Amino acid sequence: MPIPTPTDLPPQDAAPPTFTEYPATTKQVAGLVDGQVTDVMTMYFTDKIMITITQNGRLAQWLQVPLGSSNPGRADHFLPSGSADESLLPMPHLTASTLLGGSTPDRETIGQLYAVQIASAIALKNPEEQRPVVIGLGLARLDTSRERFFDIIDIVTQCL
């Protein structure tokens, strides 16, 4: 069988590849949460947004939150209504899944709460964003206080 030549191949309808800026855009912020240095780094890759939240330089849990709607026909249903009280709540269509870590149910639940809240902040900032958000979480201790939660979320939003 003869080897096909370029003239024998069917025409390609695909657009030529586009090249994006390398390296990925990165931003880093540090702050104190209950006297503990908390480092946040955001990296915007072409296919994902990665955020790490570390204390004592550790990462113990990785989570992912897809921002794209699983039902494109219903995407407008999830846009924020604009109420200030509702903007503090995570978007109801976002679901976090644990990729690594989350060794106890409490740690997994807290990690998913952080992940969905961060993904909601990204979606509110840029409603057109469709890239999945991957979050590395390494908190020194498991603490469910509201003040600590909002302090960490505040540092993360400074880094978006």
Side-chain angles (χ1 to χ4, degrees), residues 91-141:
M91 294 180 162
H93 73 289
L94 298 177
T95 304
S97 56
T98 302
L99 302 174
L100 297 168
S103 55
T104 66
D106 288 342
R107 186 169 294 280
E108 186 167 355
T109 301
I110 293 296
Q112 290 179 355
L113 178 63
Y114 277 105
V116 170
Q117 189 70 41
I118 293 165
S120 292
I122 292 169
L124 284 172
K125 183 176 179 181
N126 181 4
E128 301 299 316
E129 184 61 68
Q130 295 292 308
R131 292 175 284 183
V133 180
V134 177
I135 298 169
L137 196 57
L139 303 179
R141 63 181 169 26

Side-chain angles (χ1 to χ4, degrees), residues 2-158:
I3 298 175
T5 64
T7 56
D8 297 332
L9 297 175
Q12 297 290 326
D13 291 334
T18 57
F19 298 97
T20 58
E21 187 178 319
Y22 180 83
T25 304
T26 303
K27 188 172 181 184
Q28 203 165 1
V29 175
L32 284 177
V33 176
D34 288 339
Q36 181 77 45
V37 176
T38 305
D39 294 303
V40 176
M41 183 172 62
T42 304
M43 296 182 76
Y44 292 91
F45 294 96
T46 57
D47 62 339
K48 289 181 179 46
I49 299 170
M50 184 178 81
I51 300 171
T52 58
I53 305 165
T54 63
Q55 294 176 330
N56 300 329
R58 65 182 232 150
L59 285 170
Q61 185 177 9
W62 287 92
L63 304 109
Q64 179 171 314
V65 181
L67 288 182
S69 173
S70 60
N71 182 354
R74 302 215 6 113
D76 289 340
H77 173 71
F78 298 115
L79 291 178
S81 66
S83 164
D85 291 337
E86 290 178 7
S87 68
L88 297 175
L89 297 173
M91 294 180 162
H93 73 289
L94 298 177
T95 304
S97 56
T98 302
L99 302 174
L100 297 168
S103 55
T104 66
D106 288 342
R107 186 169 294 280
E108 186 167 355
T109 301
I110 293 296
Q112 290 179 355
L113 178 63
Y114 277 105
V116 170
Q117 189 70 41
I118 293 165
S120 292
I122 292 169
L124 284 172
K125 183 176 179 181
N126 181 4
E128 301 299 316
E129 184 61 68
Q130 295 292 308
R131 292 175 284 183
V133 180
V134 177
I135 298 169
L137 196 57
L139 303 179
R141 63 181 169 26
L142 185 63
D143 186 346
T144 58
S145 74
R146 282 177 63 111
E147 184 176 324
R148 182 176 169 87
F149 175 79
F150 285 118
D151 287 348
I152 291 172
I153 294 298
D154 183 52
I155 295 170
V156 172
T157 56
Q158 293 173 37

